[in-house]
Amino acid sequence: GATLSLWQLQILHECLHGSMLGANTALHKKWHRTILFFGSMPSAFGYWLYLRFGHLSHHRSLGAHSLNDAFTSPSMDLSDGDVLFVNHRMNMTGDAGPQISIGGRDGSTQTTVTMAIGRSGFSFWKRGRSVRNALIFAASFLLERCLLIVNDVVVAITGRNYFFSKKPDDFHRHCALYARVAVAVRVGLMTISKSWNPLLFLILSETLWSLPPHPACAMFVTNHGCDEDHNPTSSTYSGKWYSVLTLGTNYHCEHHDFPTMPLHKLGQVRKIVGDKWYKTTSDDDLGRVMKKAFGEPDFYACMDVGVKEIDKAAV
């Protein structure tokens, strides 16, 4: 189920970039958002919000925005949408978010509360303790995903996503429509089965591929670190069958270099370009990759480049 959920994300991702229907074609412009909407279902929390408002802006603004920017920006997009995920497992600069104001009425003092589950969990990480850190990551990630399901119900009822209070009304209109249909589908599945099992299956399917020991976790937690040459994107090469398992998402550096290239052709890029730009071997040890990512967390997308060492320590 987890692997199929990853494939669902990757196929929708192909649709978003135009690799499925043809970039900038009339067919793509007419149908890609409809495919994103209905193709994201059934879902527990789903991929629609990120793909619709956060992924293309991620390509434009990789590493240029803080977590709080995703919530406070008045634009339709989420700035760099990947900050919604990496905040659980990587060092970051800038303010955390979302920040919720409480009080301030009837003369009371207004208090700002930061509701960043991922950053709160990350604060308990210990360098060199990969197993401990992986368990904390799994706990914070699963907790946040479950709370997002509850938030979907709130959005469906009220018509607004209060975590993004500064977004325009059109943003909330889209979110409300998706939440109402998605919640109806979930309730329908649970009614038919007369159990909570469909919801549990969806929750686990949409999270477990991101967590160890699932092999796809290796590429998920390392695709935007920062190497010695200050490259903010990397790929994971562990053989042909690994590429099949991840449906090409392991070729992440190639995808950022050629975002409209179909997934089945990404693996050919490094063979053509050679080792000047890409690693040409396919011997990445997935266990070691995950151990390093959780034991020695990197800064997201070279956010620390240009930051003074004294400031970096504070971050």
Side-chain angles (χ1 to χ4, degrees):
T3 300
L4 292 177
S5 184
L6 172 60
W7 287 9
Q8 176 192 32
L9 171 61
Q10 179 67 332
I11 291 170
L12 293 173
H13 171 266
E14 288 287 287
C15 177
L16 177 67
H17 279 287
S19 305
M20 179 185 294
L21 303 176
N24 298 317
T25 63
L27 189 63
H28 172 76
K29 293 176 181 178
K30 181 177 180 180
W31 289 107
H32 82 279
R33 289 183 177 175
T34 301
I35 293 173
L36 285 181
F37 188 94
F38 290 104
S40 295
M41 299 180 198
S43 66
F45 47 86
Y47 306 116
W48 175 82
L49 180 68
Y50 167 70
L51 291 172
R52 177 66 174 81
F53 296 112
H55 185 70
L56 294 182
S57 58
H58 159 67
H59 278 263
R60 295 192 300 267
S61 308
L62 176 62
H65 293 277
S66 69
L67 175 59
N68 197 44
D69 288 341
F71 298 99
T72 59
S73 169
S75 64
M76 284 286 286
D77 64 50
L78 302 177
S79 301
D80 179 355
D82 272 38
V83 298
L84 300 177
F85 313 115
V86 301
N87 76 91
H88 287 265
R89 53 180 169 77
M90 302 190 81
N91 289 302
M92 299 179 70
T93 58
D95 295 330
Q99 297 179 359
I100 308 296
S101 296
I102 300 175
R105 297 180 180 179
D106 302 324
S108 61
T109 303
Q110 188 177 73
T111 303
T112 300
V113 178
T114 301
M115 300 180 65
I117 295 174
R119 299 317 290 163
S120 296
F122 187 75
S123 67
F124 290 98
W125 282 35
K126 299 292 184 183
R127 196 165 189 84
R129 303 283 297 277
S130 56
V131 174
R132 167 198 169 101
N133 297 342
L135 290 172
I136 294 173
F137 166 62
S140 67
F141 201 66
L142 281 166
L143 173 61
E144 185 179 79
R145 303 298 104 175
C146 290
L147 291 177
L148 287 176
I149 297 171
V150 177
N151 186 60
D152 258 8
V153 177
V154 174
V155 175
I157 294 172
T158 66
R160 295 192 68 81
N161 191 328
Y162 292 100
F163 289 117
F164 301 94
S165 60
K166 296 185 179 180
K167 295 294 185 188
D169 289 341
D170 199 35
F171 174 89
H172 294 284
R173 181 178 61 82
H174 285 294
C175 287
L177 177 61
Y178 183 82
R180 287 163 182 163
V181 176
V183 170
V185 171
R186 288 174 216 152
V187 172
L189 290 173
M190 290 187 290
T191 301
I192 293 171
S193 67
K194 297 181 181 180
S195 74
W196 292 86
N197 290 341
L199 181 60
L200 178 62
F201 175 80
L202 290 171
I203 292 173
L204 295 177
S205 295
E206 292 170 29
T207 53
L208 291 186
W209 65 264
S210 309
L211 308 176
H214 195 289
C217 173
M219 64 85 187
F220 178 66
V221 299
T222 58
N223 55 18
H224 287 303
C226 190
D227 65 17
E228 61 274 10
D229 296 320
H230 296 159
N231 294 314
T233 307
S234 63
S235 297
T236 303
Y237 305 119
S238 191
K240 179 179 69 174
W241 289 111
Y242 186 68
S243 300
V244 172
L245 175 74
T246 62
L247 208 61
T249 50
N250 60 308
Y251 296 120
H252 209 73
C253 189
E254 291 86 341
H255 167 62
H256 271 257
D257 290 342
F258 305 96
T260 61
M261 182 173 289
L263 62 87
H264 64 283
K265 293 184 177 180
L266 285 173
Q268 302 174 27
V269 173
R270 62 184 181 135
K271 296 178 181 178
I272 297 171
V273 176
D275 59 6
K276 182 179 180 180
W277 297 105
Y278 304 106
K279 176 184 172 182
T280 55
T281 57
S282 299
D283 56 358
D284 286 340
D285 185 311
L286 301 180
R288 290 182 179 179
V289 169
M290 286 188 270
K291 183 178 180 179
K292 184 176 186 299
F294 288 109
E296 302 173 26
D298 207 343
F299 270 85
Y300 170 58
C302 298
M303 273 187 163
D304 61 324
V305 173
V307 178
K308 295 180 180 178
E309 290 300 320
I310 188 171
D311 295 331
K312 192 184 300 185
V315 172

